[in-house]
Amino acid sequence: MKQQTTELQQLADAYRNKVQARMRDLPVYNAALQVETLGFSLYEGRLCGVLITPWCMNLLLLPGADDNWTALAPGKTMDLSFPAGEYSFTLSLTQDIMPHLSLPLFTTVLDFKDQDMARDVAREVLRCLYRETEHKASVDPLATELDKRHKKALSRRDFLRGRLSEQGGYDA
Amino acid sequence: MGIQQTFYEAMREHGITRRSFLKFCSLTAAGLGLGPEFAGTIAHALETKPRTPVIWLHGLECTCCSESFIRSGHPLAADVILSMISLDYDDTLMAAAGHQAEEILEQTIEKYDGNFILACEGNPPLNEDGMYCIQAGKPYVEKLRRMADHCKAIIAWGSCASWGCVQAAHPNPTRATPIHKVITDKPVIKVPGCPPIAEVMTGVITYMLTFDRFPELDRQGRPKMFYGQRLHDKCYRRPHFDAGQFVERFDDEGARKGYCLYKMGCKGPTTYNACSTVEWNGGLSWPVKSGHGCLGCAEDNFWDRGSFYSSVTNLNVPGGVELTANQVGGVLAGAAAVGVAAHAAASVISHSVDSNKGGKQS
């Protein structure tokens, strides 16, 4: 546990001390926010949680004991399963920050008015991530859409009414 | 051009075996990112549905959409054109010319009134009664309106048909106008990009033929499955952005190391398209992978948004959906994002979250 806390501390320090100064003058920087790691817990042997910074909010996975990510190509994507569905993470290998997998939750964080608001959203995201759901997310949005339709099986009533397709044709 | 012939029959006529047909269905399903179970759905649709007649018109454009389309690998454009649809008119690809070609338009209206798809590449100029684009002695806009009156649905190929593109850039001397502003009484699906990705084009057509409807569209009329996310959020260089590592000059160390191109004017943060996931030329590469920023060619008005090389300062773009947030948080994070965007308090977020719980995931 202590080792995990140290790891997270190192991660946050790297963003705070090495990255923050480089991002401060960019239009994507939200001065109302600060660097924070939130809600990290072990998921299938890897630490998983949300990283909040003044320029991004990402879902992060730190390497587990068996992971040797440094041997892989930076930018490689990995599809991982959670109770809420499957998500495509991108491998981050940069000299300033420890290797990790990340999934951007927002394009920018400019609309968060303060850190509390960002924290609320981050907690909510994690809660949903670990919640079993009927409509699982998929790395492929089309497959998800079709899957939903597939599952909406034809009821006996609809069949007798001759309603074979849920909604055919094109709507203007 | 027999509308009664199905795709399967057409393929058999081309000497294709049933085994190859089923393989084609599996490949098409895979190309659309579907599981193997959908190969059966596609096979069933293609076996039983008559081939849909498609009229492909060209207004003010550069033909890059056609150039892209004919290079589709999954499914092969040749399969789409020769077998899946009945491409009855396309002045770039057809053998017929002159009166013979133009007659096809009237024949199509006669035979398939209300049953053909109108695919529009380019847009009509409206100034001087449409005189800036004359086809077969008449303004293009007249041809467009005539065919649109009788079609089932319209596909607006590319940024010209979807938004206006370069010919509509300021001061737009010919008043080049996107399709949805000229034809307002027919369903229009926008497939923007300059050009759109080949597999996105054939993917949209395959979807429409298989399910006889448009795929789910966003508020701007684009298919969510391909335009649901900003490039920035699926970019393989995104970790460099998050780590504050940027290319500052095209010949610097950062460029060699493949850092983020945001400071070089990359429009990825404001562009909804599938380039970073589907990629180009059969998944070989895409602009950012080749070391140049995204120009944002799939976005409205991209020619008038300043230099391609100045970095994006306004990250608010209308429409689209924040798919990642929606996916991760189920409905909830999406609703939260809306609340956040509206500068609502946390309590408002949780309220809108509750009221959206029955909503859709993507």
Side-chain angles (χ1 to χ4, degrees):
Chain A
M1 191 64 208
K2 193 175 176 194
Q3 191 200 341
Q4 290 170 4
T5 317
T6 320
E7 251 185 344
L8 289 173
Q9 191 62 44
Q10 278 172 357
L11 183 77
D13 284 347
Y15 278 100
R16 213 172 279 132
N17 303 332
K18 293 180 179 159
V19 185
Q20 197 154 2
R22 296 201 288 256
M23 299 302 285
R24 194 163 276 139
D25 297 329
L26 298 183
V28 294
Y29 192 89
N30 181 353
L33 300 181
Q34 60 209 39
V35 175
E36 182 177 344
T37 53
L38 184 140
F40 274 81
S41 62
L42 274 177
Y43 178 73
E44 294 187 345
R46 298 173 179 134
L47 269 179
C48 174
V50 174
L51 168 80
I52 301 171
T53 71
W55 58 94
C56 68
M57 187 194 281
N58 294 346
L59 189 62
L60 243 62
L61 277 166
L62 299 185
D66 303 331
D67 293 319
N68 182 18
W69 290 341
T70 45
L72 303 172
K76 181 185 163 59
T77 55
M78 287 187 223
D79 299 342
L80 299 174
S81 287
F82 286 85
E86 198 179 31
Y87 303 95
S88 195
F89 287 76
T90 308
L91 177 60
S92 170
L93 292 177
T94 58
Q95 70 260 37
D96 295 333
I97 299 154
M98 70 177 76
H100 61 266
L101 294 176
S102 75
L103 176 72
L105 296 170
F106 295 94
T107 308
T108 75
V109 287
L110 294 172
D111 290 322
F112 290 105
K113 70 180 174 80
D114 54 31
Q115 189 76 5
D116 282 342
M117 194 182 211
R119 280 191 199 116
D120 283 345
V121 171
R123 276 191 210 102
E124 214 47 68
V125 164
L126 287 171
R127 196 173 66 83
C128 294
L129 185 71
Y130 293 121
R131 188 175 57 188
E132 283 289 344
T133 167
E134 190 190 337
H135 299 308
K136 284 198 187 298
S138 158
V139 285
D140 193 295
L142 172 62
T144 313
E145 189 196 328
L146 292 179
D147 200 39
K148 274 188 297 187
R149 196 167 305 150
H150 212 60
K151 278 183 184 146
K152 203 172 176 181
L154 188 69
S155 72
R156 185 179 156 82
R157 176 172 293 182
D158 282 346
F159 174 71
L160 292 173
R161 281 176 179 165
R163 199 181 296 155
L164 284 167
S165 64
E166 153 206 9
Q167 186 194 355
Y170 302 91
D171 306 313
Chain B
M1 43 187 193
I3 193 171
Q4 296 312 318
Q5 194 181 38
T6 67
F7 168 83
Y8 177 60
E9 286 159 356
M11 274 193 121
R12 290 306 296 260
E13 228 171 60
H14 283 91
I16 299 196
T17 62
R18 176 154 184 86
R19 179 182 291 238
S20 299
F21 166 72
L22 292 174
K23 196 174 167 196
F24 168 86
C25 294
S26 307
L27 283 173
T28 304
L32 284 171
L34 306 176
E37 68 273 21
F38 284 101
T41 314
I42 291 174
H44 180 70
L46 298 181
E47 272 177 321
T48 52
K49 285 187 186 166
R51 293 160 71 206
T52 308
V54 174
I55 297 295
W56 190 310
L57 299 183
H58 298 251
L60 291 184
E61 45 89 341
C62 72
T63 315
C64 74
C65 299
S66 291
E67 288 287 347
S68 175
F69 181 77
I70 59 176
R71 282 163 182 78
S72 171
H74 306 287
L76 278 173
D79 289 330
V80 175
I81 296 168
L82 297 175
S83 319
M84 205 183 271
I85 59 174
S86 172
L87 187 62
D88 293 347
Y89 180 98
D90 182 337
D91 43 40
T92 310
L93 293 176
M94 68 207 280
H99 291 292
Q100 194 193 9
E102 295 308 300
E103 271 169 22
I104 297 172
L105 296 176
E106 289 307 316
Q107 285 169 7
T108 304
I109 290 176
E110 217 170 276
K111 280 188 183 170
Y112 310 126
D113 196 0
N115 285 313
F116 64 90
I117 302 281
L118 186 63
C120 300
E121 184 173 347
N123 58 35
L126 301 184
N127 266 357
E128 312 295 343
D129 297 322
M131 295 297 278
Y132 292 106
C133 185
I134 300 290
Q135 293 177 9
K138 286 183 194 162
Y140 169 64
V141 66
E142 286 182 18
K143 183 173 172 178
L144 172 68
R145 286 198 173 114
R146 168 97 180 128
M147 297 313 289
D149 267 353
H150 297 273
C151 76
K152 177 157 71 172
I154 299 175
I155 304 175
W157 286 140
S159 292
C160 298
S162 299
W163 313 122
C165 207
V166 63
Q167 60 274 43
H170 183 76
N172 190 1
T174 66
R175 227 178 111 216
T177 309
I179 303 297
H180 69 279
K181 289 188 178 163
V182 179
I183 310 296
T184 50
D185 58 348
K186 288 286 162 105
V188 178
I189 181 172
K190 291 178 192 151
V191 188
C194 192
I197 301 170
E199 283 74 18
V200 168
M201 298 177 81
T202 47
V204 165
I205 286 200
T206 311
Y207 187 100
M208 287 168 66
L209 298 185
T210 308
F211 300 101
D212 199 26
R213 52 177 288 176
F214 283 153
E216 196 181 347
L217 307 181
D218 69 5
R219 279 174 289 165
Q220 306 272 335
R222 300 171 290 195
K224 279 185 186 178
M225 61 194 195
F226 296 120
Y227 297 88
Q229 239 176 337
R230 304 192 204 194
L231 294 186
H232 188 54
D233 296 342
K234 280 285 164 195
C235 180
Y236 77 106
R237 296 194 185 200
R238 174 66 187 254
H240 290 297
F241 173 90
D242 294 337
Q245 294 174 321
F246 298 98
V247 177
E248 310 267 350
R249 290 160 51 98
F250 278 120
D251 58 353
D252 69 4
E253 190 60 21
R256 278 186 281 277
K257 286 184 171 167
Y259 286 178
C260 174
L261 290 153
Y262 171 77
K263 287 189 178 174
M264 301 308 291
C266 180
K267 303 295 184 285
T270 50
T271 303
Y272 290 87
N273 206 344
C275 303
S276 50
T277 45
V278 177
E279 302 191 37
W280 286 81
N281 298 323
L284 181 74
S285 187
W286 62 292
V288 169
K289 205 166 171 179
S290 71
H292 193 284
C294 160
L295 303 183
C297 75
E299 287 300 311
D300 191 6
N301 209 18
F302 85 99
W303 283 95
D304 286 331
R305 288 188 177 180
S307 164
F308 290 152
Y309 298 99
S310 51
S311 51
V312 188
T313 48
N314 179 10
L315 285 105
N316 291 318
V317 282
V321 282
E322 304 301 329
L323 194 66
T324 314
N326 273 348
Q327 274 187 322
V328 170
V331 179
L332 196 127
V338 173
V340 169
H343 300 281
S347 61
V348 178
I349 295 173
S350 60
H351 174 72
S352 50
V353 162
D354 288 335
S355 63
N356 274 291
K357 267 185 182 156
K360 286 180 179 169
Q361 171 271 322
S362 59

Tab-separated table of all heavy atoms in Angstrom, chain A residues 40-80:
chain	number	residue	atom	x	y	z
A	40	PHE	N	-7.643	6.250	-6.954
A	40	PHE	CA	-6.854	5.120	-7.455
A	40	PHE	C	-7.061	3.881	-6.592
A	40	PHE	O	-7.034	3.941	-5.376
A	40	PHE	CB	-5.368	5.477	-7.513
A	40	PHE	CG	-4.994	6.167	-8.796
A	40	PHE	CD1	-5.232	7.536	-8.959
A	40	PHE	CD2	-4.455	5.462	-9.857
A	40	PHE	CE1	-4.913	8.179	-10.146
A	40	PHE	CE2	-4.130	6.105	-11.050
A	40	PHE	CZ	-4.359	7.465	-11.198
A	41	SER	N	-7.308	2.754	-7.271
A	41	SER	CA	-7.419	1.480	-6.566
A	41	SER	C	-6.949	0.391	-7.510
A	41	SER	O	-6.823	0.615	-8.720
A	41	SER	CB	-8.871	1.227	-6.146
A	41	SER	OG	-9.676	1.154	-7.299
A	42	LEU	N	-6.704	-0.797	-6.964
A	42	LEU	CA	-6.203	-1.882	-7.801
A	42	LEU	C	-7.331	-2.476	-8.633
A	42	LEU	O	-8.391	-2.816	-8.110
A	42	LEU	CB	-5.577	-2.972	-6.938
A	42	LEU	CG	-4.104	-2.774	-6.556
A	42	LEU	CD1	-3.662	-3.902	-5.654
A	42	LEU	CD2	-3.199	-2.678	-7.779
A	43	TYR	N	-7.115	-2.545	-9.920
A	43	TYR	CA	-8.070	-3.234	-10.789
A	43	TYR	C	-7.279	-4.232	-11.634
A	43	TYR	O	-6.429	-3.841	-12.421
A	43	TYR	CB	-8.826	-2.238	-11.679
A	43	TYR	CG	-9.782	-2.932	-12.627
A	43	TYR	CD1	-10.966	-3.495	-12.150
A	43	TYR	CD2	-9.471	-3.063	-13.980
A	43	TYR	CE1	-11.835	-4.162	-12.999
A	43	TYR	CE2	-10.339	-3.727	-14.837
A	43	TYR	CZ	-11.515	-4.277	-14.343
A	43	TYR	OH	-12.363	-4.940	-15.181
A	44	GLU	N	-7.547	-5.485	-11.425
A	44	GLU	CA	-6.836	-6.569	-12.111
A	44	GLU	C	-5.318	-6.371	-12.051
A	44	GLU	O	-4.622	-6.449	-13.062
A	44	GLU	CB	-7.330	-6.687	-13.552
A	44	GLU	CG	-8.789	-7.136	-13.586
A	44	GLU	CD	-9.308	-7.444	-14.985
A	44	GLU	OE1	-8.641	-7.045	-15.955
A	44	GLU	OE2	-10.376	-8.064	-15.068
A	45	GLY	N	-4.844	-6.058	-10.859
A	45	GLY	CA	-3.405	-5.984	-10.643
A	45	GLY	C	-2.760	-4.658	-11.031
A	45	GLY	O	-1.551	-4.488	-10.895
A	46	ARG	N	-3.571	-3.713	-11.543
A	46	ARG	CA	-2.999	-2.418	-11.909
A	46	ARG	C	-3.729	-1.306	-11.171
A	46	ARG	O	-4.940	-1.370	-10.978
A	46	ARG	CB	-3.160	-2.172	-13.415
A	46	ARG	CG	-2.442	-3.168	-14.278
A	46	ARG	CD	-2.800	-2.930	-15.735
A	46	ARG	NE	-2.100	-3.879	-16.586
A	46	ARG	CZ	-2.698	-4.558	-17.569
A	46	ARG	NH1	-3.985	-4.387	-17.811
A	46	ARG	NH2	-2.007	-5.390	-18.308
A	47	LEU	N	-2.989	-0.270	-10.815
A	47	LEU	CA	-3.615	0.877	-10.166
A	47	LEU	C	-4.397	1.666	-11.202
A	47	LEU	O	-3.857	2.050	-12.237
A	47	LEU	CB	-2.547	1.768	-9.534
A	47	LEU	CG	-2.167	1.482	-8.089
A	47	LEU	CD1	-1.086	2.458	-7.652
A	47	LEU	CD2	-3.387	1.587	-7.169
A	48	CYS	N	-5.656	1.915	-10.917
A	48	CYS	CA	-6.496	2.633	-11.877
A	48	CYS	C	-7.214	3.769	-11.169
A	48	CYS	O	-7.751	3.600	-10.078
A	48	CYS	CB	-7.513	1.658	-12.468
A	48	CYS	SG	-8.721	2.446	-13.525
A	49	GLY	N	-7.193	4.944	-11.784
A	49	GLY	CA	-7.877	6.100	-11.203
A	49	GLY	C	-7.869	7.256	-12.174
A	49	GLY	O	-7.541	7.099	-13.348
A	50	VAL	N	-8.242	8.432	-11.655
A	50	VAL	CA	-8.342	9.599	-12.534
A	50	VAL	C	-7.237	10.598	-12.205
A	50	VAL	O	-6.945	10.860	-11.033
A	50	VAL	CB	-9.727	10.283	-12.405
A	50	VAL	CG1	-9.769	11.571	-13.215
A	50	VAL	CG2	-10.817	9.332	-12.860
A	51	LEU	N	-6.630	11.131	-13.263
A	51	LEU	CA	-5.648	12.198	-13.093
A	51	LEU	C	-6.313	13.509	-13.496
A	51	LEU	O	-6.831	13.626	-14.613
A	51	LEU	CB	-4.433	11.950	-14.003
A	51	LEU	CG	-3.469	13.135	-14.122
A	51	LEU	CD1	-2.542	13.201	-12.917
A	51	LEU	CD2	-2.662	13.058	-15.407
A	52	ILE	N	-6.336	14.448	-12.562
A	52	ILE	CA	-6.873	15.774	-12.889
A	52	ILE	C	-5.678	16.729	-12.965
A	52	ILE	O	-4.827	16.748	-12.078
A	52	ILE	CB	-7.847	16.278	-11.799
A	52	ILE	CG1	-9.012	15.311	-11.616
A	52	ILE	CG2	-8.358	17.668	-12.147
A	52	ILE	CD1	-9.890	15.633	-10.420
A	53	THR	N	-5.599	17.485	-14.032
A	53	THR	CA	-4.572	18.525	-14.140
A	53	THR	C	-5.265	19.770	-14.712
A	53	THR	O	-6.390	19.673	-15.194
A	53	THR	CB	-3.422	18.125	-15.090
A	53	THR	OG1	-3.913	18.154	-16.431
A	53	THR	CG2	-2.846	16.760	-14.790
A	54	PRO	N	-4.612	20.917	-14.713
A	54	PRO	CA	-5.251	22.110	-15.301
A	54	PRO	C	-5.387	22.032	-16.822
A	54	PRO	O	-5.939	22.937	-17.430
A	54	PRO	CB	-4.314	23.244	-14.897
A	54	PRO	CG	-3.562	22.734	-13.718
A	54	PRO	CD	-3.400	21.264	-13.949
A	55	TRP	N	-4.851	20.982	-17.453
A	55	TRP	CA	-4.958	20.904	-18.915
A	55	TRP	C	-5.587	19.584	-19.408
A	55	TRP	O	-5.894	19.451	-20.583
A	55	TRP	CB	-3.595	21.109	-19.584
A	55	TRP	CG	-2.554	20.105	-19.142
A	55	TRP	CD1	-2.245	18.940	-19.766
A	55	TRP	CD2	-1.715	20.180	-17.986
A	55	TRP	NE1	-1.278	18.269	-19.058
A	55	TRP	CE2	-0.919	19.007	-17.965
A	55	TRP	CE3	-1.560	21.109	-16.952
A	55	TRP	CZ2	0.007	18.759	-16.964
A	55	TRP	CZ3	-0.631	20.857	-15.963
A	55	TRP	CH2	0.144	19.696	-15.971
A	56	CYS	N	-5.787	18.615	-18.533
A	56	CYS	CA	-6.441	17.394	-18.982
A	56	CYS	C	-7.063	16.637	-17.809
A	56	CYS	O	-6.703	16.867	-16.645
A	56	CYS	CB	-5.452	16.479	-19.715
A	56	CYS	SG	-4.157	15.772	-18.678
A	57	MET	N	-8.004	15.778	-18.124
A	57	MET	CA	-8.525	14.849	-17.126
A	57	MET	C	-8.554	13.477	-17.787
A	57	MET	O	-9.281	13.257	-18.756
A	57	MET	CB	-9.920	15.228	-16.668
A	57	MET	CG	-10.385	14.353	-15.504
A	57	MET	SD	-12.136	14.443	-15.165
A	57	MET	CE	-12.248	15.956	-14.280
A	58	ASN	N	-7.716	12.579	-17.284
A	58	ASN	CA	-7.576	11.270	-17.927
A	58	ASN	C	-7.837	10.136	-16.943
A	58	ASN	O	-7.546	10.253	-15.752
A	58	ASN	CB	-6.148	11.076	-18.459
A	58	ASN	CG	-5.813	12.037	-19.584
A	58	ASN	OD1	-6.691	12.676	-20.156
A	58	ASN	ND2	-4.536	12.147	-19.896
A	59	LEU	N	-8.347	9.044	-17.491
A	59	LEU	CA	-8.402	7.802	-16.737
A	59	LEU	C	-7.039	7.152	-16.916
A	59	LEU	O	-6.549	7.046	-18.045
A	59	LEU	CB	-9.509	6.925	-17.313
A	59	LEU	CG	-9.895	5.670	-16.557
A	59	LEU	CD1	-10.428	6.038	-15.178
A	59	LEU	CD2	-10.977	4.928	-17.324
A	60	LEU	N	-6.402	6.758	-15.808
A	60	LEU	CA	-5.027	6.269	-15.886
A	60	LEU	C	-4.888	4.857	-15.324
A	60	LEU	O	-5.549	4.520	-14.351
A	60	LEU	CB	-4.132	7.194	-15.063
A	60	LEU	CG	-3.033	7.962	-15.789
A	60	LEU	CD1	-3.666	8.886	-16.812
A	60	LEU	CD2	-2.232	8.785	-14.792
A	61	LEU	N	-4.008	4.082	-15.922
A	61	LEU	CA	-3.652	2.780	-15.385
A	61	LEU	C	-2.137	2.726	-15.227
A	61	LEU	O	-1.406	3.014	-16.190
A	61	LEU	CB	-4.084	1.671	-16.346
A	61	LEU	CG	-5.521	1.190	-16.287
A	61	LEU	CD1	-5.831	0.369	-17.518
A	61	LEU	CD2	-5.782	0.374	-15.035
A	62	LEU	N	-1.679	2.384	-14.058
A	62	LEU	CA	-0.230	2.223	-13.856
A	62	LEU	C	0.131	0.752	-14.053
A	62	LEU	O	-0.704	-0.130	-13.830
A	62	LEU	CB	0.156	2.690	-12.457
A	62	LEU	CG	-0.135	4.160	-12.161
A	62	LEU	CD1	0.402	4.553	-10.789
A	62	LEU	CD2	0.448	5.067	-13.221
A	63	PRO	N	1.377	0.478	-14.481
A	63	PRO	CA	1.739	-0.905	-14.778
A	63	PRO	C	1.657	-1.821	-13.558
A	63	PRO	O	1.998	-1.421	-12.449
A	63	PRO	CB	3.180	-0.800	-15.290
A	63	PRO	CG	3.665	0.549	-14.852
A	63	PRO	CD	2.471	1.426	-14.725
A	64	GLY	N	1.184	-3.043	-13.788
A	64	GLY	CA	1.166	-4.034	-12.724
A	64	GLY	C	2.504	-4.756	-12.666
A	64	GLY	O	3.419	-4.442	-13.451
A	65	ALA	N	2.607	-5.734	-11.771
A	65	ALA	CA	3.894	-6.415	-11.558
A	65	ALA	C	4.383	-7.122	-12.815
A	65	ALA	O	5.593	-7.205	-13.078
A	65	ALA	CB	3.753	-7.403	-10.410
A	66	ASP	N	3.463	-7.618	-13.639
A	66	ASP	CA	3.873	-8.392	-14.814
A	66	ASP	C	4.001	-7.563	-16.090
A	66	ASP	O	4.305	-8.093	-17.158
A	66	ASP	CB	2.851	-9.517	-15.074
A	66	ASP	CG	2.708	-10.413	-13.867
A	66	ASP	OD1	3.692	-10.530	-13.126
A	66	ASP	OD2	1.608	-10.971	-13.665
A	67	ASP	N	3.705	-6.285	-16.002
A	67	ASP	CA	3.722	-5.463	-17.216
A	67	ASP	C	5.120	-4.937	-17.526
A	67	ASP	O	5.807	-4.434	-16.646
A	67	ASP	CB	2.785	-4.260	-17.063
A	67	ASP	CG	1.335	-4.692	-16.996
A	67	ASP	OD1	0.966	-5.601	-17.759
A	67	ASP	OD2	0.591	-4.119	-16.178
A	68	ASN	N	5.495	-5.100	-18.793
A	68	ASN	CA	6.755	-4.505	-19.231
A	68	ASN	C	6.466	-3.596	-20.418
A	68	ASN	O	6.691	-3.934	-21.567
A	68	ASN	CB	7.750	-5.608	-19.626
A	68	ASN	CG	9.090	-5.008	-20.029
A	68	ASN	OD1	9.373	-3.850	-19.712
A	68	ASN	ND2	9.897	-5.782	-20.739
A	69	TRP	N	5.887	-2.447	-20.106
A	69	TRP	CA	5.411	-1.573	-21.169
A	69	TRP	C	6.524	-0.820	-21.882
A	69	TRP	O	6.362	-0.363	-23.002
A	69	TRP	CB	4.380	-0.582	-20.606
A	69	TRP	CG	3.096	-1.257	-20.235
A	69	TRP	CD1	2.667	-2.475	-20.671
A	69	TRP	CD2	2.070	-0.758	-19.368
A	69	TRP	NE1	1.432	-2.766	-20.143
A	69	TRP	CE2	1.049	-1.730	-19.331
A	69	TRP	CE3	1.916	0.409	-18.611
A	69	TRP	CZ2	-0.119	-1.570	-18.572
A	69	TRP	CZ3	0.761	0.584	-17.867
A	69	TRP	CH2	-0.245	-0.399	-17.840
A	70	THR	N	7.653	-0.665	-21.208
A	70	THR	CA	8.716	0.136	-21.829
A	70	THR	C	9.246	-0.512	-23.108
A	70	THR	O	9.863	0.141	-23.932
A	70	THR	CB	9.895	0.346	-20.851
A	70	THR	OG1	10.169	-0.909	-20.240
A	70	THR	CG2	9.570	1.379	-19.793
A	71	ALA	N	8.980	-1.821	-23.253
A	71	ALA	CA	9.457	-2.502	-24.460
A	71	ALA	C	8.533	-2.246	-25.652
A	71	ALA	O	8.843	-2.600	-26.781
A	71	ALA	CB	9.543	-4.004	-24.193
A	72	LEU	N	7.367	-1.635	-25.394
A	72	LEU	CA	6.386	-1.431	-26.464
A	72	LEU	C	6.569	-0.062	-27.128
A	72	LEU	O	7.283	0.800	-26.614
A	72	LEU	CB	4.962	-1.543	-25.903
A	72	LEU	CG	4.631	-2.862	-25.205
A	72	LEU	CD1	3.277	-2.770	-24.538
A	72	LEU	CD2	4.665	-4.012	-26.202
A	73	ALA	N	5.872	0.107	-28.242
A	73	ALA	CA	5.960	1.385	-28.948
A	73	ALA	C	5.079	2.415	-28.252
A	73	ALA	O	3.928	2.113	-27.925
A	73	ALA	CB	5.506	1.202	-30.388
A	74	PRO	N	5.600	3.633	-28.026
A	74	PRO	CA	4.758	4.663	-27.412
A	74	PRO	C	3.573	4.966	-28.339
A	74	PRO	O	3.702	4.922	-29.551
A	74	PRO	CB	5.687	5.878	-27.293
A	74	PRO	CG	6.883	5.584	-28.129
A	74	PRO	CD	6.960	4.112	-28.311
A	75	GLY	N	2.430	5.225	-27.755
A	75	GLY	CA	1.250	5.517	-28.574
A	75	GLY	C	0.465	4.285	-28.947
A	75	GLY	O	-0.594	4.371	-29.559
A	76	LYS	N	0.977	3.127	-28.555
A	76	LYS	CA	0.249	1.881	-28.835
A	76	LYS	C	-1.072	1.885	-28.059
A	76	LYS	O	-1.135	2.394	-26.942
A	76	LYS	CB	1.113	0.700	-28.381
A	76	LYS	CG	0.501	-0.672	-28.626
A	76	LYS	CD	1.399	-1.752	-28.009
A	76	LYS	CE	0.669	-3.068	-27.863
A	76	LYS	NZ	0.165	-3.631	-29.110
A	77	THR	N	-2.124	1.335	-28.670
A	77	THR	CA	-3.388	1.297	-27.946
A	77	THR	C	-3.656	-0.114	-27.419
A	77	THR	O	-3.263	-1.104	-28.044
A	77	THR	CB	-4.569	1.725	-28.831
A	77	THR	OG1	-4.577	0.917	-30.006
A	77	THR	CG2	-4.474	3.175	-29.232
A	78	MET	N	-4.271	-0.159	-26.249
A	78	MET	CA	-4.630	-1.454	-25.650
A	78	MET	C	-6.092	-1.402	-25.226
A	78	MET	O	-6.523	-0.442	-24.589
A	78	MET	CB	-3.769	-1.720	-24.420
A	78	MET	CG	-2.335	-2.068	-24.744
A	78	MET	SD	-1.491	-2.543	-23.235
A	78	MET	CE	0.048	-1.684	-23.459
A	79	ASP	N	-6.847	-2.437	-25.620
A	79	ASP	CA	-8.260	-2.488	-25.255
A	79	ASP	C	-8.421	-3.267	-23.958
A	79	ASP	O	-8.004	-4.412	-23.875
A	79	ASP	CB	-9.072	-3.164	-26.366
A	79	ASP	CG	-8.982	-2.394	-27.672
A	79	ASP	OD1	-8.605	-1.205	-27.619
A	79	ASP	OD2	-9.259	-2.977	-28.736
A	80	LEU	N	-8.998	-2.615	-22.965
A	80	LEU	CA	-9.153	-3.266	-21.670
A	80	LEU	C	-10.617	-3.297	-21.255
A	80	LEU	O	-11.374	-2.372	-21.540
A	80	LEU	CB	-8.346	-2.508	-20.609
A	80	LEU	CG	-6.829	-2.434	-20.863
A	80	LEU	CD1	-6.170	-1.543	-19.835
A	80	LEU	CD2	-6.207	-3.824	-20.821
